[in-house]
Amino acid sequence: MTTMGIDPAQLSDEDLIRELRHLHVTRTDTFLHGSDDALATHTSRTNELESEYLRRNPDREVDPNRLREGARAR
């Protein structure tokens, strides 16, 4: 069940990335100034889209600097 918009499974890869980027851009404003309902909807939609991205890209490239070992090396 989707909270809003098109079912993430029906989005093209390009559209999925575009939607994710937009949600990440609007996250801080929604968190700081949105109603409780707006924040809950934003969080739910973000989770749906991120889950779909991970489903499609289980072997996505992980930056070694984003791991604990990489952080410790810095």
Side-chain angles (χ1 to χ4, degrees):
M1 182 178 108
T2 61
T3 56
M4 60 183 287
I6 298 171
D7 180 349
Q10 295 179 353
L11 294 171
S12 67
D13 288 345
E14 182 179 300
D15 289 339
L16 179 61
I17 293 293
R18 187 190 69 244
E19 291 294 316
L20 280 166
R21 285 188 173 137
H22 178 72
L23 282 170
H24 285 259
V25 165
T26 61
R27 181 63 182 179
T28 300
D29 190 53
T30 303
F31 179 74
L32 293 176
H33 306 292
S35 67
D36 290 345
D37 286 343
L39 182 58
T41 299
H42 197 282
T43 300
S44 181
R45 183 63 172 170
T46 300
N47 289 339
E48 289 174 353
L49 293 169
E50 287 178 348
S51 293
E52 178 62 20
Y53 179 85
L54 293 173
R55 185 190 70 74
R56 293 182 193 187
N57 300 282
D59 299 321
R60 72 191 195 289
E61 182 180 338
V62 176
D63 182 346
N65 291 318
R66 302 288 298 185
L67 302 173
R68 283 187 184 160
E69 187 175 305
R72 288 185 186 124
R74 286 192 301 260

